[in-house]
Coordinates of all heavy atoms in Angstrom, one line a residue:
W212 N 3.4 -10.5 -21.1 CA 2.3 -10.9 -20.2 C 2.6 -10.4 -18.8 O 3.5 -10.9 -18.2 CB 2.1 -12.4 -20.2 CG 1.0 -12.9 -19.3 CD1 1.1 -13.3 -18.1 CD2 -0.4 -13.0 -19.6 NE1 -0.1 -13.7 -17.5 CE2 -1.1 -13.5 -18.5 CE3 -1.2 -12.7 -20.8 CZ2 -2.4 -13.8 -18.4 CZ3 -2.6 -13.0 -20.7 CH2 -3.2 -13.5 -19.6
P213 N 1.8 -9.5 -18.3 CA 2.1 -8.9 -16.9 C 1.8 -9.9 -15.8 O 0.8 -10.7 -15.9 CB 1.3 -7.7 -16.8 CG 0.1 -7.9 -17.8 CD 0.7 -8.8 -18.9
A214 N 2.6 -9.9 -14.8 CA 2.4 -10.8 -13.6 C 1.0 -10.5 -13.0 O 0.4 -11.4 -12.4 CB 3.5 -10.6 -12.6
Q215 N 0.5 -9.3 -13.1 CA -0.8 -8.9 -12.6 C -1.9 -9.8 -13.1 O -2.8 -10.2 -12.4 CB -1.1 -7.4 -12.8 CG -2.4 -7.0 -12.2 CD -2.8 -5.6 -12.6 OE1 -2.1 -4.9 -13.4 NE2 -3.8 -5.1 -12.0
R216 N -1.8 -10.0 -14.5 CA -2.9 -10.8 -15.1 C -2.9 -12.2 -14.5 O -3.9 -12.8 -14.3 CB -2.7 -10.8 -16.6 CG -3.1 -9.5 -17.2 CD -3.4 -9.6 -18.7 NE -3.8 -8.4 -19.4 CZ -5.1 -8.0 -19.4 NH1 -6.0 -8.7 -18.8 NH2 -5.4 -6.8 -20.0
T217 N -1.7 -12.7 -14.3 CA -1.6 -14.1 -13.7 C -2.2 -14.0 -12.3 O -3.0 -14.9 -11.9 CB -0.2 -14.5 -13.6 OG1 0.4 -14.6 -14.9 CG2 -0.1 -15.9 -13.0
G218 N -1.9 -13.0 -11.5 CA -2.5 -12.8 -10.2 C -4.0 -12.8 -10.2 O -4.7 -13.4 -9.4
I219 N -4.6 -12.2 -11.2 CA -6.1 -12.1 -11.4 C -6.6 -13.5 -11.7 O -7.6 -13.9 -11.1 CB -6.5 -11.1 -12.5 CG1 -6.1 -9.7 -12.1 CG2 -8.0 -11.2 -12.8 CD1 -6.2 -8.6 -13.2
L220 N -6.0 -14.2 -12.6 CA -6.5 -15.5 -13.0 C -6.4 -16.5 -11.9 O -7.3 -17.4 -11.8 CB -5.7 -16.0 -14.2 CG -5.8 -15.2 -15.5 CD1 -4.9 -15.7 -16.6 CD2 -7.3 -15.4 -16.0
V221 N -5.4 -16.5 -11.0 CA -5.2 -17.6 -10.1 C -5.8 -17.2 -8.7 O -5.8 -18.1 -7.8 CB -3.7 -17.9 -9.9 CG1 -3.1 -18.3 -11.2 CG2 -2.9 -16.8 -9.2
R222 N -6.3 -16.0 -8.5 CA -6.7 -15.6 -7.2 C -7.7 -16.5 -6.5 O -7.6 -16.6 -5.3 CB -7.2 -14.1 -7.3 CG -7.3 -13.5 -5.9 CD -7.7 -12.0 -6.0 NE -7.9 -11.5 -4.7 CZ -8.5 -10.4 -4.5 NH1 -9.0 -9.6 -5.5 NH2 -8.7 -9.9 -3.2
R223 N -8.6 -17.1 -7.2 CA -9.6 -17.9 -6.6 C -9.4 -19.4 -6.7 O -10.2 -20.2 -6.4 CB -11.0 -17.5 -7.2 CG -11.3 -16.1 -7.0 CD -12.8 -15.7 -7.3 NE -13.1 -14.3 -7.2 CZ -13.2 -13.7 -6.0 NH1 -13.1 -14.3 -4.9 NH2 -13.5 -12.4 -6.0
L224 N -8.2 -19.7 -7.2 CA -7.8 -21.1 -7.2 C -7.3 -21.6 -5.9 O -6.9 -20.8 -5.0 CB -6.7 -21.4 -8.3 CG -7.0 -21.1 -9.7 CD1 -5.8 -21.3 -10.6 CD2 -8.2 -22.0 -10.2
P225 N -7.3 -22.9 -5.6 CA -6.8 -23.4 -4.3 C -5.4 -23.0 -4.1 O -4.5 -23.0 -5.0 CB -6.9 -25.0 -4.5 CG -8.0 -25.2 -5.5 CD -7.8 -24.0 -6.5
V226 N -5.1 -22.7 -2.8 CA -3.8 -22.1 -2.4 C -2.7 -23.1 -2.8 O -1.6 -22.7 -3.4 CB -3.8 -21.8 -0.9 CG1 -2.3 -21.4 -0.5 CG2 -4.7 -20.7 -0.6
R227 N -2.8 -24.4 -2.5 CA -1.8 -25.4 -2.8 C -1.5 -25.5 -4.3 O -0.3 -25.6 -4.7 CB -2.1 -26.7 -2.2 CG -2.2 -26.7 -0.7 CD -2.6 -28.1 -0.1 NE -1.6 -29.1 -0.4 CZ -1.7 -30.4 -0.1 NH1 -2.8 -30.8 0.6 NH2 -0.8 -31.2 -0.4
L228 N -2.5 -25.4 -5.1 CA -2.3 -25.4 -6.5 C -1.5 -24.2 -7.0 O -0.6 -24.4 -7.8 CB -3.7 -25.5 -7.2 CG -3.7 -25.4 -8.8 CD1 -2.8 -26.6 -9.4 CD2 -5.1 -25.4 -9.3
V229 N -1.9 -23.1 -6.6 CA -1.2 -21.8 -7.0 C 0.3 -21.9 -6.5 O 1.2 -21.5 -7.2 CB -1.9 -20.6 -6.5 CG1 -1.1 -19.3 -6.9 CG2 -3.3 -20.5 -7.0
D230 N 0.5 -22.4 -5.3 CA 1.9 -22.6 -4.8 C 2.7 -23.4 -5.7 O 3.8 -23.1 -6.1 CB 1.8 -23.2 -3.4 CG 1.5 -22.2 -2.3 OD1 1.4 -21.0 -2.6 OD2 1.2 -22.7 -1.2
R231 N 2.1 -24.5 -6.2 CA 2.9 -25.4 -7.1 C 3.1 -24.8 -8.4 O 4.2 -24.9 -9.0 CB 2.1 -26.7 -7.3 CG 2.1 -27.7 -6.1 CD 1.7 -29.1 -6.4 NE 0.3 -29.1 -6.9 CZ -0.8 -29.4 -6.1 NH1 -0.6 -29.5 -4.8 NH2 -2.0 -29.4 -6.5
L232 N 2.1 -24.1 -9.0 CA 2.3 -23.4 -10.2 C 3.3 -22.3 -10.1 O 4.2 -22.1 -11.0 CB 0.9 -22.8 -10.7 CG -0.2 -23.8 -11.1 CD1 -1.5 -23.1 -11.4 CD2 0.3 -24.6 -12.3
G233 N 3.3 -21.6 -9.0 CA 4.2 -20.5 -8.8 C 5.7 -21.0 -8.7 O 6.6 -20.4 -9.2
A234 N 5.9 -22.2 -8.1 CA 7.2 -22.8 -8.0 C 7.7 -23.1 -9.4 O 8.9 -22.9 -9.7 CB 7.2 -24.0 -7.1
L235 N 6.8 -23.7 -10.2 CA 7.2 -24.1 -11.6 C 7.6 -22.8 -12.4 O 8.6 -22.8 -13.2 CB 6.1 -24.8 -12.3 CG 5.8 -26.2 -11.7 CD1 4.6 -26.8 -12.4 CD2 7.0 -27.1 -11.9
V236 N 6.8 -21.8 -12.3 CA 7.1 -20.5 -13.1 C 8.4 -19.9 -12.6 O 9.2 -19.4 -13.4 CB 5.9 -19.6 -12.9 CG1 6.2 -18.2 -13.5 CG2 4.6 -20.1 -13.6
A237 N 8.6 -19.9 -11.3 CA 9.8 -19.3 -10.8 C 11.1 -20.0 -11.3 O 12.0 -19.4 -11.6 CB 9.8 -19.3 -9.2
K238 N 11.0 -21.3 -11.3 CA 12.2 -22.1 -11.8 C 12.5 -21.8 -13.3 O 13.6 -21.8 -13.7 CB 12.0 -23.6 -11.6 CG 12.1 -24.0 -10.1 CD 11.9 -25.5 -10.0 CE 12.0 -25.9 -8.5 NZ 11.9 -27.4 -8.3
A239 N 11.4 -21.6 -14.0 CA 11.5 -21.3 -15.5 C 12.0 -19.9 -15.8 O 12.6 -19.6 -16.8 CB 10.2 -21.6 -16.2
S240 N 11.6 -18.9 -14.9 CA 11.8 -17.5 -15.3 C 12.7 -16.7 -14.4 O 13.2 -15.7 -14.8 CB 10.4 -16.8 -15.3 OG 9.8 -16.8 -14.0
V241 N 13.0 -17.2 -13.2 CA 13.8 -16.5 -12.2 C 15.0 -17.3 -11.9 O 14.9 -18.5 -11.4 CB 13.0 -16.1 -11.0 CG1 13.9 -15.4 -10.0 CG2 11.8 -15.3 -11.3

Side-chain angles (χ1 to χ4, degrees):
W212 179 266
Q215 182 189 8
R216 287 198 178 275
T217 301
I219 294 170
L220 291 174
V221 305
R222 192 175 176 194
R223 301 194 183 282
L224 294 178
V226 173
R227 293 179 65 183
L228 174 59
V229 179
D230 283 348
R231 289 196 294 269
L232 292 173
L235 292 174
V236 171
K238 288 182 179 180
S240 62
V241 178

